[in-house]
Amino acid sequence: GSDAEQGALFFFVAHMTWWPGFLYLFAFPAEVAVLTKELLSDAYSIEAYLLSKVVADTPSEIVCPSVFFACALPMCGFEPVAP
């Protein structure tokens, strides 16, 4: 593809790769007080917390990028390729 298409694709992939990581990184400080209290009371383990967070966030981490790419790629001039 052209340089513009490659640049757009790089930006899209970089953004969609880092987005979930930053969501977890910046959400954790807000949740740490509640998580600490619940861990000290033996409500559940840290593994259960992390697993439930991943399971709960996975649908939005699949749907949002899919909708974004479905809209953005045609607008940037990417043509569908027949199998």
Side-chain angles (χ1 to χ4, degrees), residues 22-52:
F22 281 115
L23 286 178
Y24 284 112
L25 182 67
F26 292 122
F28 186 73
E31 298 174 358
V32 75
V34 173
L35 179 61
T36 302
K37 185 174 90 170
E38 291 175 351
L39 287 174
L40 291 175
S41 69
D42 287 330
Y44 48 81
S45 66
I46 190 73
E47 293 86 4
Y49 164 77
L50 292 173
L51 181 63
S52 65

Side-chain angles (χ1 to χ4, degrees), residues 5 62 76:
E5 287 176 346
I62 293 172
C76 289

